[in-house]
């Protein structure tokens, strides 16, 4: 499952944060997308990966990054209702192994 956007896309927003997300003690502003400015030429693929340890998954994500691609564990994506998406939320970064 993805958030409806692809790696490398450029979207336009009005610059007014609609909320914030806190991850591992760091806060990130969340903006409302107005329009897609530039679509990505990359497709979104899904793969099931069995990693013995979190470090193995981290190494795979780093490998993607070194080659100019993005990778994200499904546990890094969360769907929020409209009311909740405009608030401030703290969450833990989760990476599952096994």
């Amino acid at each position: 499952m993805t958030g409806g956007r692809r790696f490398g896309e450029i979207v336009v927003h009005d610059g007014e944060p609609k909320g914030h997300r806190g991850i591992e003690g760091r806060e990130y502003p969340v903006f409302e997308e107005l329009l897609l400015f530039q679509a990505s030429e990359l497709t979104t693929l899904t793969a099931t990966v069995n990693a013995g340890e979190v470090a193995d998954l981290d190494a795979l994500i780093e490998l993607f990054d070194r080659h100019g691609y993005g990778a994200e564990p499904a546990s890094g994506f969360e769907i929020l209702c409209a009311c909740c998406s405009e608030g401030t939320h703290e969450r833990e970064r989760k990476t599952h192994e096994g």
Side-chain angles (χ1 to χ4, degrees), residues 2-45:
T2 69
R5 288 280 157 241
R6 296 182 191 172
F7 180 76
E9 288 187 323
I10 299 172
V11 297
V12 176
H13 61 80
D14 65 5
E16 177 188 357
K18 300 295 183 189
H20 292 84
R21 300 294 177 271
I23 300 174
E24 296 179 350
R26 187 166 177 191
E27 194 168 280
Y28 299 90
V30 176
F31 302 95
E32 183 176 333
E33 177 184 327
L34 298 177
L35 63 93
L36 176 62
F37 181 74
Q38 182 177 341
S40 174
E41 295 180 10
L42 299 173
T43 59
T44 298
L45 304 173

Side-chain angles (χ1 to χ4, degrees), residues 40-61:
S40 174
E41 295 180 10
L42 299 173
T43 59
T44 298
L45 304 173
T46 302
T48 300
V49 176
N50 291 316
E53 298 182 23
V54 173
D56 297 333
L57 187 55
D58 291 340
L60 179 61
I61 292 170

Side-chain angles (χ1 to χ4, degrees), residues 24 26 31 71-72 85 88 94:
E24 296 179 350
R26 187 166 177 191
F31 302 95
E72 180 179 16
S85 71
T88 298
K94 297 178 192 171

